[in-house]
Structure formats: C-alpha cells, structure tokens
Amino acid sequence: MQATTFSSNKTSPPPPYPTTTTTVNHHDPPQFNIKPIDRRRILTSLAASIATLPITVLPSADARGLFQMPPVRLSNRYFLVRAGESEFESLGIINTNPVAKTSMDNGLSRIGKKQTVKAALRLKELGACENSCWIWPSITQRAYQAAEIIGAINGVNRSHIVPEYSFLDARGLGAYEGKALQSVSEIYASDLVSSNIKPPPIDDGTPNESVADVFVRVTQLMSILETQYSEDTVIIVSPDSDNLTILQAGLVGLDLRRHSELAFEPGEVRFFDPSSIPTYKPPASALYKCLNPPSYKKELNIKLASSFLLLAIYFVSHLSLHFSSPIALFSFKSYQISLLSPIPIPIFKSQHLPDPTHQFNHCFC
C-alpha cells in the first residue's frame, strides 16, 4: 500500500515573546547644600545701599504737618462771609438745632437775600474769584443759598461749591433754643469769663457748645483746606457769626474769650489778612484787668497790728487788778476783751482773712 503524505498549510504558532524584566532604579533625591542666612550682613548691606540714595529734605516753610492755631503761614487766601438773615432770625428767634438746618425755615429771608447779593458784589469788587476760587458753605439752608448767589454773581461753577456738613454748623446754644435773639448777650457774658463754659443743656437734640468746642471744629476745617488746596482762594460761608469770630481770633492768636467783639453782621464780608490784627472794641468795664485790686497784704498787717495791741491791753489790764471796776470792756475794731474776773479772758470774734482766689469778687475797679 502506498502511503501518501499530505503537507499541511498550517503554520506553527510563533514562539512566545521573551519576557523581559525591567529594573527601575529609584535614584535618591538631589541633595542641596543650604547655607545659613547671615542677617547681620544683609542688614549692613541694605543700610549701605540706602545711605547712597539721594534724599530731598523740604524746607521747614514748605513742609506740611499738623495744622495749629495760630498758623505759621497759610497756603491760601481766605474770605470770611456770614450768610444773610434767615427766616428764624427775621422773627427774632434763636434756632441752632442741626436737625432743622436744611429746613426752608432756615433759609434766607427777603432781607437776607438782599444782604447776600451785596456780599456777592463786595466779593466781586475785591476780586475774590478773578482767577479761580472755591466756595465752602455750611450745608445749613441759608449758608448754601448764599453760596449759590455768590457763585452766580462771581461766575463760579457749581463744581467749585463744596458743602461742609458738620464743621461749619451754627454754634449750638442748648437751652437758649427758641428764645429771643437778645438773650445771646447772656451767652457772650459767660464766654468772657472762660472759653470752656457751655450754655445750659436741653434734651431736644440741640448741642450746647462752648467757645473751645467751636474752636476745635474750625481748626479741623482749616486743616482740611490747607491740606487740600495750595495758592488758591477759599470763601468760607457760615450761617452764624460765632464760627467766623472764633476762627478769626484763632488765626491771629487773639483771646478767644473776646471773640464776640469781632462780631459779623448778616451778609458781612471780610478778607482775612494774617498781617493785620482786628481791633477790639473797648470793654464796657474793667473786667479783664483790675486797675485797683484790694491789698490783702495791707489788710493782714492791720489785723496783726490790732492783735498786738489787744495783747498789750490784756497785759495792762492784768497789772491793774487792784481796780474795783467789775467789768472793763475794751474794743478795737471787731475784737473785744472782757474782764469779768481777776484773771481776764480775751474773747475774739471769729474772723476769716480774705481769700486771694476770689480776687474778682473783691475787685474795687
């Protein structure tokens, strides 16, 4: 039998892939050599580099710091204006409550508008806004109305009217709120005694401000103006007189207690000149200086002399015991000696020497 061999077309499977084992070598992280910081060396080099920088020091006249009264110099020129008469003032009523400061009743009266127009024309004559000027009125109705009139007549843009919300408020008069305007003289009388005396308080929200309180406010206002502007013209419009008189007295260095003698009339304009000192009105009495003060030293010497004389009388009476007079009464001014027995007993009335601290109570001016 013949055997037939058939060749198969099937190919043998490929040999398996060799398995390769890869070894991953994990290298150690790099090592950095960190040197310690020498702080002293760094600070020394920094100080040396700063020392080589050019440093510009402003002259003392050009340097600006905390504003003080009276100022050494002013960077701007100032016009002080009191607003015209208000509706309340036309009725003769005191109104200083800040709650009502934007009320129309606090606006300019018919006479007050005329006064303000005259003030605006006066500023135009003085050339206050020839180049440029800033108007700083209180937000109080009459003061802001006055600022608008001044700006319209002098051609000042409304963007140059800067309302002040607190530093230029009318001086709060406390319990005098609603009283007659003539009673302000009582407040000024207490101002003459001390700048720290406040009007009596009230519970309706009206502040009771002393001269010192207003002085703090106007000083803060001047600090802002001197910082914000330079070589400009500023027109300050106040609703009352006290803000301006206290400001003027502080700028020149006058006695704040006598600020009322610099009083502004409604619609009055003043150019503040640091070189000129306002003239005080002569005082009505010698309240500020006692021209003929009592001599306490002289009174003390008189009392000592009288005491020595009484002692002399005492010893003389003691030597005169043989006299049969039951009572011998000696008096010298307010002192007495009563001899009721062979041993006389001096009796002195209670006397107090005058207190030097009450000089003005005993002033014979």
Side-chain angles (χ1 to χ4, degrees):
M1 235 175 115
Q2 188 177 3
T4 306
T5 304
F6 296 95
S7 61
S8 175
N9 292 330
K10 293 182 180 181
T11 58
S12 59
Y17 289 101
T19 59
T20 57
T21 304
T22 55
T23 304
V24 180
N25 296 327
H26 296 281
H27 298 286
D28 295 332
Q31 300 292 329
F32 298 98
N33 296 326
I34 300 177
K35 297 181 179 180
I37 298 176
D38 190 352
R39 296 180 180 179
R40 182 173 297 179
R41 183 177 180 182
I42 293 176
L43 292 175
T44 304
S45 60
L46 181 61
S49 61
I50 292 176
T52 58
L53 295 176
I55 299 176
T56 304
V57 179
L58 292 175
S60 59
D62 297 331
R64 293 189 182 186
L66 181 64
F67 185 83
Q68 296 180 349
M69 292 278 206
V72 178
R73 60 182 292 272
L74 291 174
S75 302
N76 309 290
R77 65 173 188 160
Y78 294 92
F79 290 89
L80 309 181
V81 181
R82 178 183 174 181
E85 179 190 68
S86 68
E87 294 288 352
F88 278 111
E89 290 173 335
S90 67
L91 299 175
I93 299 175
I94 295 176
N95 183 271
T96 59
N97 194 325
V99 175
K101 64 182 178 180
T102 57
S103 170
M104 290 304 298
D105 293 332
N106 247 322
L108 294 172
S109 66
R110 182 177 57 85
I111 297 176
K113 292 176 182 178
K114 294 180 180 180
Q115 294 170 339
T116 304
V117 170
K118 292 181 180 179
L121 294 174
R122 176 59 178 161
L123 288 169
K124 193 170 185 179
E125 291 176 4
L126 296 174
C129 299
E130 283 184 353
N131 299 324
S132 177
C133 70
W134 295 88
I135 305 177
W136 274 64
S138 167
I139 196 61
T140 306
Q141 187 72 13
R142 63 182 179 274
Y144 196 81
Q145 288 177 351
E148 290 181 327
I149 294 174
I150 293 172
I153 293 178
N154 288 271
V156 179
N157 193 294
R158 293 181 67 91
S159 62
H160 278 224
I161 300 178
V162 184
E164 173 51 54
Y165 289 88
S166 59
F167 294 150
L168 279 176
D169 285 354
R171 178 186 177 184
L173 300 183
Y176 284 86
E177 185 77 1
K179 292 187 177 181
L181 283 175
Q182 291 77 6
S183 59
V184 175
S185 59
E186 300 176 9
I187 300 175
Y188 290 159
S190 63
D191 290 347
L192 291 172
V193 178
S194 172
S195 60
N196 294 315
I197 297 179
K198 297 175 180 286
I202 194 172
D203 57 0
D204 67 345
T206 304
N208 57 324
E209 294 182 297
S210 65
V211 174
D213 295 332
V214 179
F215 180 70
V216 171
R217 287 200 282 111
V218 296
T219 302
Q220 292 172 330
L221 172 68
M222 289 301 300
S223 179
I224 294 173
L225 295 177
E226 284 292 288
T227 305
Q228 188 166 340
Y229 305 114
S230 179
E231 304 299 329
D232 283 326
T233 299
V234 181
I235 301 174
I236 299 175
V237 185
S238 172
D240 68 343
S241 174
D242 287 1
N243 285 335
L244 302 178
T245 56
I246 295 173
L247 172 60
Q248 187 175 13
L251 289 173
V252 184
L254 301 178
D255 190 349
L256 294 179
R257 296 176 299 173
R258 302 173 62 183
H259 74 96
S260 59
E261 299 177 13
L262 306 174
F264 281 68
E265 297 294 331
E268 184 175 350
V269 177
R270 290 183 197 172
F271 170 66
F272 173 70
D273 184 4
S275 61
S276 66
I277 298 179
T279 304
Y280 279 138
K281 300 175 184 178
S285 64
L287 177 63
Y288 312 112
K289 183 179 180 181
C290 189
L291 300 178
N292 186 24
S295 177
Y296 298 107
K297 185 175 181 181
K298 183 185 298 184
E299 292 183 7
L300 182 62
N301 291 336
I302 292 175
K303 291 183 181 295
L304 289 175
S306 61
S307 299
F308 283 117
L309 182 57
L310 289 172
L311 288 176
I313 295 173
Y314 171 79
F315 287 113
V316 170
S317 62
H318 185 68
L319 295 176
S320 304
L321 295 177
H322 60 280
F323 290 106
S324 60
S325 175
I327 297 176
L329 182 64
F330 300 92
S331 63
F332 183 84
K333 292 189 71 172
S334 59
Y335 302 100
Q336 292 181 349
I337 293 180
S338 178
L339 303 179
L340 301 175
S341 64
I343 302 177
I345 302 173
I347 301 174
F348 297 90
K349 287 186 177 180
S350 176
Q351 297 290 332
H352 297 282
L353 294 178
D355 187 358
T357 61
H358 296 84
Q359 179 176 357
F360 289 103
N361 294 333
H362 305 280
C363 185
F364 306 108
C365 301

